[in-house]
Each structure stands twice: as C-alpha cells, then as structure tokens.
Amino acid sequence: MIEAAMIWNEPNNKSHWDPEIDPNWDLFGEMAIGAGKAIERVNPSLPRVLGGISPIDPAFIANMMGKGVLDHVDAVAVHGFPLDWNLWRIDEWPAKIQEIKAVTELPVWVSEVGVSSFGAEEVQAWGLDRTAQLLIGQAPRIHWYSLYDLPRAWPATTRHKEAEGSSYYRHFAMGLLREDGSPKMAAERFPRHAPALGICQWFHFEDHRLYEAVAWMRRLGVRSLRTGLSWADSFRPNALDWFDRQMDALSEFDVTITYCFTPEHRGIASHHTSAPQVPEEFAEFCAAMTERYAPPRITANQSFRSAVAEQREAAQ
C-alpha cells in the first residue's frame, strides 16, 4: 500500500534542484505548496512528506516554514551519508536530527541513509550496524539506500559526475547487492535490523530488476520501501503501463512514493532539476498518481495525520 507521498527529492541539492534558476527556493515553495494541496484534495488521509534534504540544513527547513510549505506537509525528511560524502561523523546522527527538530514540530524521517562498499565491504557492513544502532527509535521512518548497486552503465544523478573523483564512484557501490544481484556482507546483516530499517530503491524506467528486488526484500524482512514515480518518465511511451507494473509489484510493502523530476520540455531549463514553467502541472501529476495508486481509504495513516495535527495545536 502507499503509506505516504513525498514531494520532490533533495530540493536543497543542486543535483536535484537548480539553484541558479531558483536561488531562494521561491519557485520550489510555490510548486511544493501546490503539490501538497493537490495530494490532500485527492486523499486527505495520505501523509505528505517534504523531500529529504541533503545536506541536513535547519536553515532550509526554516526557509520552507517561512514560505508556508510546512503547512502543507505532515513530515520532513533528511538524507545523510557521513562515511562517504558528509563532513560530519556517523556518531553525530542523533544530533543532526535534533537540529531539524529544533526548527519544526513535524516528525523527521530519514528517507535515505547509507554506506558504500567502495573501500571495503567490511566498512559498509559495520556502517549498517552502527547506523541502525544510532537511528532506530530516533525517526518514524528510516530507509537504507539502497538495495542494489547502481549499474555502471547508468550515470549517477549528480551534476559533477567524474569531476568528483572517488565521491562520484561511491554512488555505484551503495547497494546491499552487487550489480549482478549477488549479496554483499551487509545483506547478511540487514535482517537483524528489519523491519525497523526499510529500503530506498529507485527503479529506472522499465527496470529489469523489479521482480528480483521484490523477492530480495521479502528475504531481507523489509516492510517499508521508498521509491519514486518520475514526472519526466510520465511522458515516455507506455509510461502508465510501467507505473502500473511497478506499483502492483510493490503492493505488499508500505511504500513512500516520491514525486519528482521535471520533464525537460516543461522546465524553465531543459533539465530534470529545473523549476517547471507551470508549477500547476507538477501538482496535476501528483494528483493523478495519488488518485491512481493511493485512493482514499480508511487506514492507520489517518491516525498519523491526527497525531501531527495534535502536535501542531500543542505547539501553538
């Protein structure tokens, strides 16, 4: 089932949102508010989550609060990779979450956290155990990034690519499974931390790994999954057929679905990180996908929304 809808991915990272077009995130704020309203109109009980931020920056969350964005979401999210890309230690995870809690009363999710096996599989396995120790109980949702290594034939989603040196190549070694589907050391340890630890796995259009991924997640004890539906992909031929297959295959998991990526022909610039020419079009996409895959029903999500509303009232 769809348990939450996430609005965009890493909006404060230029690999996912172009700050030259929108330096103060005014356009992003307008787009996010429209998306939040559209999702709520379709399914008032579905929790809405602001796209996970990377880097973890309380000033960005304060900016979103000032623009009114947080009035239209039910949680915020953070991403962190301290053993690979961040300039802070892994033991600082609880403090990083507290930095965000200091500026908002909304729940703070960890929608991506991971460790690469670039240097050694032993490092990744240790990082998995330590991450679980530090984060379980600290956040309502924790999604480990990722199930699979990124295939070498696919470019990583980053603006700098090979100019990043080893940082770029770490993108390709974040999985519990190698590109060929064989397990690493961390895969053997993951079931110890499931289901408290979920998975974030992005599926590319017509991804050949979809059904194998479902089998592996069952084996690993995964219950919560974060993945995405790409606005850009929605313009491909047979896009809805692919979306339907993907969502049907994942129906047994508690899915946080991320709506993101601007179609090149609908952006101010011809790039998936661009603010859209017409922000209402992104809201329409969010509404259509929510209506198709997360229609209103009586679920535990209603109690989640009620709890958030009670927290807001208590804080006022």
Side-chain angles (χ1 to χ4, degrees), residues 243 288 311:
F243 288 169
Q311 288 180 14

Side-chain angles (χ1 to χ4, degrees), residues 2-3 5 36-48 74 287 290-291 293-299 301-302 305:
I2 305 297
E3 69 165 357
K37 289 179 177 179
I39 294 165
E40 184 172 43
R41 280 195 297 270
V42 173
N43 187 343
S45 69
L46 184 67
R48 301 154 299 168
D74 305 288
T290 302
E291 184 172 13
Y293 302 116
R297 66 182 71 183
I298 298 174
T299 71
N301 288 338
Q302 290 180 330
R305 294 289 295 275

Side-chain angles (χ1 to χ4, degrees), residues 17-18 21-22 27-28 31 262 266-269 273-277:
W17 189 260
D18 191 335
I21 293 173
D22 187 25
L27 299 176
F28 176 81
M31 184 189 75
T262 305
R266 300 309 305 148
I268 294 173
T273 66
S274 174
Q277 299 171 26

Side-chain angles (χ1 to χ4, degrees), residues 85 116 118 152 161-162 164-173:
W85 296 311
S116 80
F118 179 83
R152 288 288 180 150
K161 302 189 184 303
E162 289 86 349
E164 295 179 353
S166 68
S167 292
Y168 175 74
Y169 292 102
R170 289 172 183 270
H171 286 91
F172 296 88

Side-chain angles (χ1 to χ4, degrees), residues 147-209:
L147 179 62
Y148 282 99
D149 278 354
L150 184 68
R152 288 288 180 150
W154 297 355
T157 304
T158 173
R159 294 297 286 271
H160 303 296
K161 302 189 184 303
E162 289 86 349
E164 295 179 353
S166 68
S167 292
Y168 175 74
Y169 292 102
R170 289 172 183 270
H171 286 91
F172 296 88
M174 304 300 292
L176 301 173
L177 309 175
R178 302 180 187 91
E179 180 181 348
D180 65 4
S182 60
K184 303 179 190 175
M185 291 177 61
E188 299 173 6
R189 299 194 186 186
F190 190 89
R192 305 178 190 177
H193 310 298
L197 209 60
I199 286 285
C200 173
Q201 177 62 52
W202 296 93
F203 293 101
H204 286 225
F205 190 77
E206 299 283 9
D207 200 314
H208 65 281
R209 306 167 301 177

